[in-house]
Amino acid sequence: MNKYHHANEEDYLTINSSTTQTTNKLFKKSTILSIIAIIISLVIAVIGILSFAATLITITIINNNNINTLLATNYDNYIENKPMLFHISEKEKFSFGLGNIENLNKVSQQLNIKIPDITIITNGNAILEYFNNETVALMKNAVDNYKTSIKCCKVALTGNLIEMGKCKNDPNTIEQCVDNVIANEMPKFVNVVPAGIVFINENYAKFRYFKP
């Protein structure tokens, strides 16, 4: 009886050991398969990312080629036949607008096309930049080199001169004060017009309008 019982225990241990080994093997295989699956997923993801990046690069190249083709074929007809009006009403945008004009000139030179006539009309607090020597130097460069003329709204100039304390808000003296500033402190290449918005309205059809 004991021998039989002992034999059963050995059989049980053998079976249990075999089952454990089988379970361990299955677990190892499952783990390996999981790792392989993760690796495959990562590879697929990387391939997808690379494919997406390649598509973006291709689109960019195509777009650049299309832009260059458009510039080469249509720039002459689109730009040269009509002057450009840059409307600047914020002092922070004055240098930016002048940079646009410089870039336009560079593109024109690259394509061997004459730069169009450009007019800058200013109102709002952009008027303050007429008293900023650094910005005035950039304006002068545009006037001298980029076929640019600059116009200033007198209404806006008057308001800014009052805020700056250069002129007193006195109906009896304000006009003379503004005229003195125009004559003595404003850049000589700036043409003062009665009202900027009126100038834009009267001349809008003559220009291609841009507002930096």
Side-chain angles (χ1 to χ4, degrees):
M1 187 74 175
N2 291 334
K3 289 182 179 180
Y4 178 76
H5 180 70
H6 182 69
N8 284 342
E9 285 182 353
E10 289 180 349
D11 291 340
Y12 173 77
L13 292 173
T14 301
I15 292 171
N16 187 48
S17 175
S18 177
T19 301
T20 301
Q21 290 177 359
T22 301
T23 302
N24 289 338
K25 288 180 179 179
L26 290 174
F27 178 75
K28 289 180 180 179
K29 288 182 179 179
S30 176
T31 302
I32 292 172
L33 290 174
S34 296
I35 293 172
I36 292 173
I38 292 172
I39 292 173
I40 291 173
S41 298
L42 289 174
V43 170
I44 292 173
V46 170
I47 291 173
I49 292 171
L50 291 175
S51 177
F52 179 71
T55 301
L56 287 179
I57 292 172
T58 301
I59 291 173
T60 301
I61 292 172
I62 291 173
N63 285 340
N64 286 340
N65 288 338
N66 287 341
I67 290 170
N68 289 334
T69 301
L70 177 65
L71 286 173
T73 56
N74 297 330
Y75 187 90
D76 190 8
N77 293 329
Y78 184 76
I79 297 293
E80 273 196 76
N81 293 337
K82 210 168 190 180
M84 303 172 74
L85 179 65
F86 279 73
H87 177 199
I88 303 176
S89 59
E90 302 170 66
K91 66 178 183 178
E92 296 82 6
K93 298 292 182 67
F94 215 133
S95 295
F96 181 75
L98 292 169
N100 289 157
I101 293 171
E102 183 176 0
N103 290 336
L104 175 63
N105 182 72
K106 289 179 180 178
V107 172
S108 299
Q109 289 180 341
Q110 289 171 0
L111 297 176
N112 196 27
I113 295 172
K114 293 180 180 179
I115 190 171
D117 291 332
I118 296 171
T119 297
I120 297 175
I121 179 69
T122 57
N123 59 359
N125 69 4
I127 303 297
L128 298 174
E129 292 303 289
Y130 292 122
F131 306 97
N132 181 333
N133 291 334
E134 184 176 342
T135 307
V136 169
L138 295 176
M139 296 180 207
K140 185 69 165 55
N141 181 60
V143 170
D144 291 343
N145 299 302
Y146 304 145
K147 298 171 65 176
T148 301
S149 62
I150 302 178
K151 300 183 184 300
C152 169
C153 169
K154 190 172 185 178
V155 173
L157 175 62
T158 301
N160 279 279
L161 290 177
I162 292 172
E163 287 188 13
M164 294 168 66
K166 283 183 175 290
C167 295
K168 293 181 180 180
N169 191 10
D170 182 349
N172 297 318
T173 61
I174 186 66
E175 187 73 22
Q176 183 179 355
C177 178
V178 172
D179 288 342
N180 286 337
V181 171
I182 293 172
N184 300 311
E185 298 185 44
M186 291 279 287
K188 301 302 180 185
F189 52 78
V190 175
N191 178 27
V192 178
V193 298
I197 195 67
V198 173
F199 175 85
I200 293 171
N201 184 60
E202 291 178 346
N203 296 278
Y204 189 83
K206 301 176 185 177
F207 293 96
R208 296 196 182 278
Y209 177 87
F210 294 87
K211 194 172 192 305

